[in-house]
Amino acid sequence: MATTSLGAGRSGLAAADRARLLRRLETAVRRARRSPAGEVLAAVTVELGRDVDPVAVAVASRIHDEPWFCIEQPDRDRAALGTLGCVKALDARGPERFATVARAWRSLARAAECDAPDGLRATGPVAVGGFAFASEGGAAPHWRGFAPASLHVPEVALARRGEEVRLTLAALLAPDDDPEGVLARLEARAAGLREAPLPLLDPDPAGRFHVASAMPPEHYEQAVARAVERIRAGALDKVVLAREVDVLAPAAHHPASILGVLREAFPECFVFCAGRGERAFLAASPELLVRREGLRAGTLALAGSTRRSADPAVDDHLGEQLLRSEKDREEQAIVTRRIVRALRPFSVWITGPDEPIVAKLANIQHLATPIRAQLAGPVSAVELAGLLHPTPAVGGEPFAVAAPLIPALEGLDRGWYAGPVGWTDTNEDGEFCVALRCALLSGPVARCYAGVGVVRDSDPAAELAETEVKLQALLPVLAG
């Protein structure tokens, strides 16, 4: 496998960029001495060649077990972000975790010595990571490293949109830091960046794979049946129930190889990986939670699904059946109404189509309603994610009733499954998707998650079958 160093003229700092970074480091140290926080973020952003692949660089350049993160949506103008390291961790837990992390990032970003974002999204210093589904989620040992709210400010970030690629190098300066020493460290890091094709998945692995539900399938059907009883009794309108299926491989799962398959198979999805120590959480998610660009916000109400078919006529027929399904239309309407209700107090206007459309992915098709809003004032991307999470597409309606019911019926710790994952920049713009079609990798163990929306007309066997369809995004890749 060919590996290319980016240090020679591609990510190495030119003299002018080096001087600019040194000035910022020196200014940051002086300001840190006067700052109550005692630290100031400094960064420089430079242009790279159009052929650089941010994700491939992040995978090839990772040092030991340092945190890494990547997210891309190939069909959306080749959008990609790859990051390495962590100069500042913004972690929180509890019901106010979104607001806590948003305030911490705002304080750090406003004081930063850096280039302003220049129109290319996700450039300059960014904070990347995600949030657990529940306010105290991720307490199970296998979720160690994935706090209920956890955004990392990376040392290295590469962003691509279309044919443009930017590299940002960042450091957090304390009052007694040596600017020249920090500069030397960042220069060495830039010079050490390299790019290699993502490793291929072994087409014929040795040994046996074992695939099993964490709970028996009958347990899931019983959970759906109990939920339907509660809905028909009038306790709530909808609840989303998930199940976990584990894949035990004969050797450690390789997140980079799996990423390579996912981005080829699901170019229309948000393909991401958050690496924390020896664990990696990855997904090919079809669902945008929120995208903020200035005072514009966008989201996607996604609910109701059916399988795909290789026969175009059958595939179209399945999509038409989905559009006409009262059960699926009810599920979709619940999600749309909740999103609009959450955004309305913060918006001048909200708009979306009167009827849902059918969104076709590689292995599944969904009912989808894109929603746009003009914000009345500045609400950060992280705060918007907190306002919208969890939508009824992953939680329930009303959520206050669904919240205690979900863990009681599921019997699992969702961790970051169904939580927001993404990034935000120094303008507090950003993009968060919902972590669906995902797996948590830890050595040879992969924990896969999939859920369905349960409403009054749900059939337990049909809902179990729907989870099997959704699991097909990852199980064939993970199970050899």
Side-chain angles (χ1 to χ4, degrees):
M1 182 181 298
T3 301
T4 303
S5 170
L6 300 190
R10 299 228 290 168
S11 66
L13 294 180
D17 296 323
R18 184 184 187 279
R20 184 161 49 102
L21 178 55
L22 179 58
R23 288 195 300 272
R24 288 185 180 152
L25 296 172
E26 292 170 340
T27 301
V29 167
R30 291 195 298 270
R31 291 181 55 205
R33 291 168 184 161
R34 304 190 302 270
S35 169
E39 56 188 21
V40 173
L41 184 67
V44 70
T45 300
V46 299
E47 187 172 351
L48 296 184
R50 56 191 291 179
D51 58 334
V52 174
D53 180 348
V55 174
V57 174
V59 168
S61 306
R62 187 185 184 205
I63 300 173
H64 306 302
D65 286 335
E66 74 174 339
W68 64 291
F69 179 87
C70 60
I71 186 167
E72 59 182 322
Q73 196 177 13
D75 274 3
R76 189 166 176 262
D77 199 18
R78 303 179 70 231
L81 173 65
T83 76
L84 292 165
C86 175
V87 302
K88 180 71 172 181
L90 309 175
D91 291 351
R93 62 191 321 111
E96 298 301 315
R97 66 196 190 281
F98 288 92
T100 300
V101 168
R103 284 194 300 270
W105 172 242
R106 182 176 300 124
S107 176
L108 197 63
R110 287 181 176 177
E113 289 288 333
C114 63
D115 301 290
D118 65 354
L120 184 67
R121 288 174 62 74
T123 57
V126 291
V128 301
F131 299 80
F133 173 78
S135 60
E136 300 291 339
H142 52 266
W143 282 107
R144 189 176 71 249
F146 296 86
S150 182
L151 297 185
H152 284 179
V153 182
E155 181 179 52
V156 177
L158 297 99
R160 181 184 69 200
R161 192 68 180 267
E163 301 300 319
E164 296 183 77
V165 185
R166 301 280 192 278
L167 165 69
T168 297
L169 301 171
L172 193 66
L173 281 299
D176 56 351
D177 277 334
D178 170 27
E180 290 280 0
V182 176
L183 175 65
R185 187 183 77 236
L186 291 176
E187 283 193 295
R189 190 69 206 263
L193 295 177
R194 58 195 68 254
E195 181 178 9
L198 294 186
L200 299 177
L201 205 64
D202 187 349
D204 188 22
R208 296 183 60 186
F209 289 81
H210 181 67
V211 181
S213 295
M215 295 283 192
E218 295 80 9
H219 169 91
Y220 187 76
E221 290 184 322
Q222 292 166 6
V224 172
R226 289 197 294 270
V228 169
E229 290 175 1
R230 297 290 297 273
I231 293 168
R232 289 178 177 172
L236 70 170
D237 296 323
K238 175 185 176 179
V239 63
V240 176
L241 297 179
R243 58 189 288 242
E244 175 187 324
V245 174
D246 300 337
V247 180
L248 180 62
H253 291 283
H254 201 310
S257 301
I258 298 165
L259 271 179
V261 174
L262 293 181
R263 69 177 183 176
E264 290 294 327
F266 301 97
E268 69 283 351
C269 289
F270 295 93
V271 178
F272 71 76
C273 183
R276 303 286 176 91
E278 63 183 15
R279 294 174 175 82
F281 180 59
L282 51 74
S285 173
E287 187 167 348
L288 170 70
L289 179 65
V290 68
R291 177 182 297 122
R292 192 196 101 150
E293 298 179 82
L295 292 179
R296 298 189 304 274
T299 182
L300 182 69
L302 196 72
S305 59
T306 191
R307 64 182 178 88
R308 297 295 307 273
S309 171
D311 184 324
V314 174
D315 195 60
D316 289 343
H317 176 66
L318 290 169
E320 188 64 28
Q321 283 185 316
L322 183 62
L323 273 174
R324 295 181 180 182
S325 164
E326 289 188 13
K327 178 259 183 186
D328 291 294
R329 290 291 290 261
E330 177 189 3
E331 189 179 342
Q332 167 71 17
I334 290 171
V335 177
T336 301
R337 286 195 300 267
R338 166 84 90 75
I339 289 174
V340 171
R341 193 164 67 242
L343 287 176
R344 182 170 286 128
F346 304 92
S347 304
V348 177
W349 51 257
I350 303 173
T351 185
D354 294 331
E355 295 287 320
I357 61 173
V358 175
K360 294 179 181 287
L361 308 181
N363 69 319
I364 197 168
Q365 40 192 330
H366 296 282
L367 291 181
T369 302
I371 298 169
R372 296 182 297 117
Q374 178 72 23
L375 300 174
V379 183
S380 73
V382 173
E383 291 167 325
L384 287 170
L387 288 171
L388 294 172
H389 173 77
T391 73
V394 295
E397 185 67 17
F399 184 65
V401 179
L405 191 61
I406 290 169
L409 293 178
E410 288 179 347
L412 59 88
D413 183 350
R414 286 189 176 190
W416 280 22
Y417 164 69
V421 173
W423 60 270
T424 182
D425 64 15
T426 53
N427 285 340
E428 298 188 87
D429 287 340
E431 191 169 78
F432 288 87
C433 68
V434 183
L436 304 175
R437 318 296 190 267
C438 57
L440 176 67
L441 310 182
S442 180
V445 179
R447 292 175 168 86
C448 305
Y449 301 89
V452 297
V454 179
V455 293
R456 66 170 45 249
D457 294 328
S458 290
D459 173 68
E463 302 296 7
L464 177 66
E466 185 175 330
T467 66
E468 296 289 348
V469 172
K470 292 175 177 178
L471 286 164
Q472 288 308 303
L474 275 170
L475 277 182
V477 183
L478 294 167

